[in-house]
């Protein structure tokens, strides 16, 4: 399944050809939810081994338009993993301190420790998305960032960090419904930000920026995957399957100790 | 139940009078586990409100001898809370960078953001526990730390941080069994640290340091609770009940928005 969503390195990444409502990977919603439950429990067990091993880490990058379900993915896929070996970093508007550094500085600060899973809720990719669309930095600087990101991620992977990057792909129509829901449901008012409507008006510009990002930064060491996200259950099931498979392939081991357990006596 | 475990501010905290195997707060193990499941789910819901409100935070401090179940508490009580609004900070041997600052610096760095629950797995209290027992700092400096900690915690509480402090109280006998298990079970070897046996030989010195800590730092704004921890299920059920009750008392609210939802149109 993992390969269905891949943006092949060096290839075009036409979002128009990818259906945000695609659920063809799953027999049914029930089957997908059952699989998610199994995957989530297995991710928890695998994370325990990763933590025990203490040598490598997993970085999960979540990007997507407003309401695409980044928070929901963290809850849906990682709630069972528990907070012990998982850290979530939300990349909001940069602070003055962060702005005083290069754009990768805060991403590097938040890189997951050995033995843990780090989740980026938005990420350093904002610097080629919102920053590009709203022209918050000179175009010539932004153009250089794709290669800078690729080099940064390559360094991470060469130092024990496996990177999974998911673009949560929702349709403009589904976004309308979710924004409207935030306006209609008083419990969701706090999630609504009037600025989201301004970004919605720039939908096409954002899609173009996403395509550039996908084409320039889907690499062999850290490929992008475009996840159909109009159906929350399909989104969660797809991501949980890929995370589980990735951890299984990493196959973390309980460390062998250098001492002889029989040589110790607990008195 | 919360009050059964309290160390009353200004009172002696004789650990010898507190039974680590006490389960009298619970009708049965089954009942305790059922209550834990309910509490964990409710903590998840309350945390969602805390996150939405975004004004206050909860700091949970876990201290206890080796094998007392600090990691197990995080898993048992907070696994369902999910990582979105929870951060866990493990306080290990300080780095050179940390040693170059005052002892409260790293605790302050790790203080939970507004809207989140922060869990300290060990904490700034190590600086009056292991540091005291192993004489890693001058006694006159350590003596001043109790008041410094109290002032630090008072400042935090006055700035929106509710503090819960749990000492996980296990018996020397139970610790022997848990250490032996780590030696006997190859899957647990990685948890065993030969240095733990040295600390076990200093059991009485550690107990004395814990008593001093409890007596000096159980305050009205941030009281200590001593949790019987020989039975994992009783430990988890006690802590989950207190965390839930505390969040209920905080009663976080979905924020009222300043704009009129009807004034927006999603196009």
């Amino acid at each position: 399944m993992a390969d269905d969503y891949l943006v092949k390195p060096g290839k075009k990444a036409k979002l128009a050809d990818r259906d945000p409502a695609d659920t063809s990977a799953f027999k049914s919603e029930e089957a997908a939810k059952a699989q998610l439950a199994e995957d989530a429990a297995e991710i928890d067990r695998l994370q325990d081994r990763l933590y025990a091993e203490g040598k490598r880490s997993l970085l999960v990058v979540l990007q997507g338009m407003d309401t695409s379900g980044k928070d929901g993915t963290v809850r849906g896929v990682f709630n069972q993993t528990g907070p012990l070996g998982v850290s979530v970093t939300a990349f909001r508007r940069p602070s003055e301190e962060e702005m005083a550094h290069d754009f990768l500085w805060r991403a590097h600060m938040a890189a997951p420790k050995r033995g843990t899973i780090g989740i980026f809720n938005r990420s350093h990719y904002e610097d080629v998305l919102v920053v590009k669309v709203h022209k918050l930095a000179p175009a010539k600087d932004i153009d250089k960032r794709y290669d800078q990101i690729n080099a940064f991620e390559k360094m991470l992977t060469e130092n024990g960090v496996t990177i999974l990057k998911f673009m949560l792909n929702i349709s403009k129509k589904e976004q309308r419904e979710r924004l409207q829901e935030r306006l209609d449901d008083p419990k969701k008012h706090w999630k609504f930000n009037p600025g989201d409507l301004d970004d919605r008006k720039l939908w096409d510009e954002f899609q173009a920026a996403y395509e550039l990002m996908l084409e320039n930064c889907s690499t062999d060491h850290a490929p992008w995957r475009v996840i159909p996200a109009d159906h929350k259950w399909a989104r969660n099931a797809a991501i949980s399957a890929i995370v589980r498979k990735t951890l299984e392939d990493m196959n973390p081991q309980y460390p062998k100790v250098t001492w002889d357990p029989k040589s110790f006596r607990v008195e």
Side-chain angles (χ1 to χ4, degrees), chain A:
Chain A
M1 171 197 297
D3 281 333
D4 292 350
Y5 307 119
L6 265 185
V7 177
K8 295 224 174 66
K11 302 282 180 193
K12 290 280 167 194
K14 285 185 91 177
L15 285 172
D17 294 347
R18 293 171 181 262
D19 178 8
D22 179 25
T23 60
S24 61
F26 309 99
K27 273 188 200 144
S28 66
E29 183 172 341
E30 287 63 40
K33 284 180 172 169
Q35 175 235 297
L36 169 66
E38 273 180 41
D39 288 344
E42 190 58 27
I43 290 170
D44 186 37
R45 281 188 287 271
L46 285 158
Q47 195 279 323
D48 209 51
R49 280 164 51 191
L50 190 72
Y51 187 77
E53 184 192 78
K55 288 185 183 158
R56 293 172 295 170
S57 57
L58 177 65
L59 172 59
V60 177
V61 173
L62 301 176
Q63 282 289 160
M65 296 293 287
D66 294 320
T67 76
S68 62
K70 298 177 287 295
D71 283 8
T73 300
V74 179
R75 286 204 162 267
V77 177
F78 295 101
N79 246 33
Q80 278 196 58
T81 319
L84 202 53
V86 180
S87 64
V88 183
T89 306
F91 287 77
R92 303 174 206 277
R93 193 184 294 272
S95 68
E96 284 195 30
E97 171 81 359
E98 289 167 345
M99 288 293 285
H101 294 85
D102 69 85
F103 78 103
L104 288 170
W105 181 78
R106 62 175 182 161
H108 210 160
M109 294 288 122
K113 281 184 203 171
R114 294 191 178 93
T116 69
I117 298 175
I119 302 167
F120 283 7
N121 186 341
R122 304 182 186 272
S123 68
H124 45 294
Y125 284 99
E126 289 297 324
D127 291 280
V128 295
L129 294 169
V130 68
V131 171
K132 182 177 175 69
V133 172
H134 286 289
K135 302 186 172 60
L136 303 175
K140 67 173 178 40
D141 289 353
I142 296 173
D143 286 346
K144 290 181 191 150
R145 288 181 178 172
Y146 304 102
D147 285 347
Q148 292 166 356
I149 288 173
N150 290 343
F152 169 64
E153 292 180 354
K154 187 154 198 284
M155 180 278 295
L156 289 181
T157 58
E158 288 174 352
N159 285 277
V161 184
T162 297
I163 303 177
L164 288 172
K165 302 188 293 199
F166 299 109
M167 183 216 166
L168 310 184
N169 188 28
I170 57 163
S171 62
K172 197 172 177 189
K173 180 168 166 290
E174 176 68 20
Q175 191 195 48
R176 183 202 294 133
E177 282 168 32
R178 294 189 187 177
L179 284 173
Q180 194 59 53
E181 210 181 312
R182 290 183 180 181
L183 286 169
D184 295 342
D185 180 352
K187 279 199 172 174
K188 292 189 172 171
H189 282 173
W190 67 280
K191 291 185 180 176
F192 182 81
N193 173 359
D196 296 350
L197 293 183
D198 299 328
D199 278 355
R200 180 170 168 80
K201 285 181 192 138
L202 296 166
W203 183 271
D204 293 339
E205 287 82 349
F206 269 101
Q207 293 293 104
Y210 270 105
E211 286 186 343
L212 260 184
M213 170 195 89
L214 294 168
E215 287 168 22
N216 288 324
C217 297
S218 197
T219 55
D220 287 323
H221 57 270
W224 270 106
R225 287 182 175 87
V226 178
I227 305 294
D230 272 8
H231 298 285
K232 294 172 185 174
W233 58 267
R235 175 200 74 204
N236 287 348
I239 292 178
S240 70
I242 296 164
V243 170
R244 174 184 174 167
K245 174 72 165 59
T246 303
L247 285 167
E248 282 173 349
D249 289 347
M250 289 173 75
N251 192 19
Q253 302 294 322
Y254 289 98
K256 296 222 182 347
V257 293
T258 52
W259 36 266
D260 174 13
K262 294 204 180 60
S263 70
F264 291 101
R265 215 187 138 76
V266 187
E267 277 160 33

